[in-house]
Amino acid sequence: MIDIYIPSGRFLEGEISEAKVGLEGWYTLRARRRSGRVTRERTFKVEACRELPPFHNLITNLGLDRFGSAPANSLYIRCHVGTGTATPSVTDTQLQTFLAAVSTSNPTTAIANSGPPDYYSYRTFTWTSSIGALGNNNLTEIGISGQSTNGLLFSRELIRDSGGNPTAFPISADEQLEVTYELRIYPNLTDVPATVMVGSNSHDTITRPMLVNNTGFWGPLQVASGVANAARGGAAGTNRAHSGDLVPYTDSLPSGSLGDASSGATAPYTNGSFYRDVSNTWNISTGNGNIRVVTVGFGCAAFQVRYDPVITKTNTQVLTLHQRISWARR
């Protein structure tokens, strides 16, 4: 993709390189008595475990679109359950036979990192119904939504047993349902090369994730956040120019800070594209020198991009660089 740049010695504009992440989700269901005891031992017992093992979910196309465009506080705030049995499809937007939202309040959340070898960062969302809120029902489908009523599904799945087969999960009027959804973001641990133009000069680039074991830089945004996971953002140290080289993806920031971007922007999102572009601009007072690496922050991830040859910026120039983040089911 080629951007038009301003043909002036004072303005330099760079084409787009790409950063990639993978998305994956897992569910765990528990039925509990008032005492807190898990009661699904007979139906979902696995060895000595009284709970349904986590099962992999399908993230819908709508969910992928909204991951990049919708604020987190309207993305995965509700858990829906139902009694439908239709095979999940990426085009689903609602449960087949909606029964209820598991809870009327936002989930409790926690964030963590898996460590090696995958270094995925994950946020868990836990909803707990009131005793008897779901009546006496055999639950067969489940989803994560941005609203309390049926629809706007981020994910949909049939409830499954330990062998991956669709099954019913009984819930009675004297029980409460607890659902935990674990949303994972995987960094691409393979360097992504590209050749881009910055002004009239060609540069070979390498895009690499950074600080992949640090949940301050990686992980789905919390439900209180009013920005999108793919929007420009990030922790301190991102959106910065550096004279030093790339660092390993678990290391700290590159060396030789030349200054933070003076401004930046997030481009509009196009449904079905599953990528989003951001830009960083260094005005005449920042980023001056030989720029080898630029760090870029998004709501859910952070990357570093190496330029070869270096970008030489003076205090009479304004530099704008573009970065793309793309995401897909893993």
Side-chain angles (χ1 to χ4, degrees):
M1 179 176 180
I2 298 177
D3 285 326
I4 299 173
Y5 64 90
I6 303 170
S8 164
R10 185 167 179 257
F11 295 94
L12 297 173
E13 186 154 7
E15 293 176 356
I16 296 174
S17 55
E18 185 172 10
K20 302 178 180 181
V21 298
L23 298 179
E24 187 176 66
W26 295 82
Y27 289 100
T28 301
L29 279 70
R30 300 179 180 91
R32 296 185 183 274
R33 298 282 187 181
R34 294 180 187 275
S35 64
R37 182 174 65 89
V38 175
T39 56
R40 288 289 70 82
E41 179 179 4
R42 180 181 62 83
T43 306
F44 296 108
K45 182 178 181 181
V46 180
E47 296 179 351
C49 182
R50 293 189 173 190
E51 65 191 49
L52 177 70
F55 57 93
H56 193 205
N57 81 293
L58 179 144
I59 298 175
T60 65
N61 286 345
L62 177 62
L64 291 179
D65 278 335
R66 300 191 79 244
F67 179 85
S69 60
N73 59 17
S74 69
L75 182 60
Y76 29 53
I77 59 173
R78 296 288 182 266
C79 176
H80 293 177
V81 290
T83 56
T85 57
T87 301
S89 167
V90 295
T91 59
D92 289 342
T93 60
Q94 61 183 21
L95 295 186
Q96 180 189 22
T97 309
F98 176 77
L99 176 66
V102 175
S103 172
T104 58
S105 60
N106 286 344
T108 57
T109 71
I111 192 167
N113 185 275
S114 70
D118 295 321
Y119 290 104
Y120 64 83
S121 291
Y122 60 98
R123 187 176 292 276
T124 57
F125 306 83
T126 301
W127 297 263
T128 304
S129 73
S130 301
I131 297 289
L134 303 179
N136 291 296
N137 278 288
N138 288 319
L139 308 177
T140 52
E141 59 178 335
I142 191 166
I144 303 301
S145 174
Q147 62 188 28
S148 296
T149 56
N150 195 19
L152 208 62
L153 284 187
F154 177 81
S155 72
R156 176 177 177 258
E157 185 55 278
L158 297 181
I159 295 173
R160 300 180 184 274
D161 62 21
S162 59
N165 303 304
T167 189
F169 189 90
I171 192 78
S172 67
D174 60 353
E175 293 175 329
Q176 62 185 161
L177 178 68
E178 177 187 279
V179 177
T180 297
Y181 181 66
E182 181 181 296
L183 179 59
R184 303 175 180 179
I185 294 183
Y186 288 81
N188 177 14
L189 300 180
T190 301
D191 291 348
V192 178
T195 299
V196 302
M197 299 296 293
V198 180
S200 58
N201 298 317
S202 175
H203 298 259
D204 293 329
T205 67
I206 293 175
T207 299
R208 177 187 297 176
M210 66 179 189
L211 290 156
V212 295
N213 56 350
N214 188 323
T215 55
F217 291 80
W218 282 83
L221 290 174
Q222 60 181 333
V223 292
S225 177
V227 300
N229 280 280
R232 178 184 181 270
T238 53
N239 308 312
R240 179 179 291 176
H242 304 260
S243 60
D245 208 342
L246 288 171
V247 295
Y249 46 71
T250 56
D251 279 13
S252 189
L253 298 170
S255 62
S257 173
L258 297 174
D260 293 337
S262 52
S263 62
T266 303
Y269 177 74
T270 301
N271 283 338
S273 63
F274 309 147
Y275 69 79
R276 199 164 189 184
D277 300 334
V278 302
S279 63
N280 285 304
T281 296
W282 288 261
N283 63 22
I284 60 174
S285 64
T286 186
N288 297 319
N290 292 325
I291 301 173
R292 171 64 73 190
V293 170
V294 168
T295 53
V296 185
F298 298 90
C300 65
F303 294 87
Q304 51 186 324
V305 185
R306 173 181 173 167
Y307 288 83
D308 186 18
V310 299
I311 301 170
T312 299
K313 180 185 176 300
T314 70
N315 62 4
T316 64
Q317 292 174 311
V318 175
L319 171 67
T320 297
L321 296 176
H322 302 277
Q323 184 69 41
R324 172 170 294 171
I325 185 172
S326 63
W327 55 93
R329 302 175 189 89
R330 190 178 188 277

